[in-house]
């Protein structure tokens, strides 16, 4: 990676949060179709991040809130790992 390709602090933070969100989705004990739907939403947020960091961050915040609700509604929510 070239020196001028480094991420800014806000880009790095968003990238970290997106990576963590992907890990959480992979760990969810939900049917594969639901997991695929959630992964597609995350990919859409990643695509938005290429053009508008603030909008992507707002969408990610909403996604994570919805994910928290989904996890709390899952019968085995206490057994879900937060990541790898």
């Amino acid at each position: 990676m070239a020196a001028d390709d480094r991420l800014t602090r806000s880009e790095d933070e968003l990238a970290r949060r997106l990576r963590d969100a992907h890990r959480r989705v992979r760990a969810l004990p939900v049917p594969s179709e639901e997991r695929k739907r959630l992964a597609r939403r995350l990919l859409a947020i990643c695509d938005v991040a290429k053009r508008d960091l603030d909008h992507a961050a707002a969408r990610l915040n909403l996604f994570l809130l919805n994910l928290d609700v989904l996890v709390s509604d899952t019968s085995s929510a206490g057994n879900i790992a937060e990541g790898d």
Side-chain angles (χ1 to χ4, degrees), residues 20-22 24-25 28 38 41-42 62-72:
D20 292 343
H22 279 280
R24 288 183 63 192
V25 167
L28 283 175
L38 293 167
R41 285 185 61 196
L42 272 173
L62 183 58
F63 177 83
L64 292 173
L65 287 173
N66 290 334
L67 194 59
D68 288 341
V69 169
L70 178 65
V71 168
S72 67

Side-chain angles (χ1 to χ4, degrees), residues 23-35:
R23 286 179 178 165
R24 288 183 63 192
V25 167
R26 281 196 317 264
L28 283 175
V30 295
S32 65
E33 288 303 315
E34 177 71 9
R35 191 174 300 107

Side-chain angles (χ1 to χ4, degrees), residues 17-82:
R17 293 177 65 222
L18 284 166
R19 183 192 67 225
D20 292 343
H22 279 280
R23 286 179 178 165
R24 288 183 63 192
V25 167
R26 281 196 317 264
L28 283 175
V30 295
S32 65
E33 288 303 315
E34 177 71 9
R35 191 174 300 107
K36 288 177 188 176
R37 186 185 67 78
L38 293 167
R40 284 192 300 270
R41 285 185 61 196
L42 272 173
L43 288 175
I45 295 169
C46 291
D47 189 53
V48 169
K50 296 174 187 175
R51 295 179 300 281
D52 187 344
L53 286 181
D54 292 333
H55 184 66
R59 286 185 62 180
L60 181 59
N61 287 338
L62 183 58
F63 177 83
L64 292 173
L65 287 173
N66 290 334
L67 194 59
D68 288 341
V69 169
L70 178 65
V71 168
S72 67
D73 289 345
T74 304
S75 61
S76 60
N79 300 327
I80 296 175
E82 286 297 319

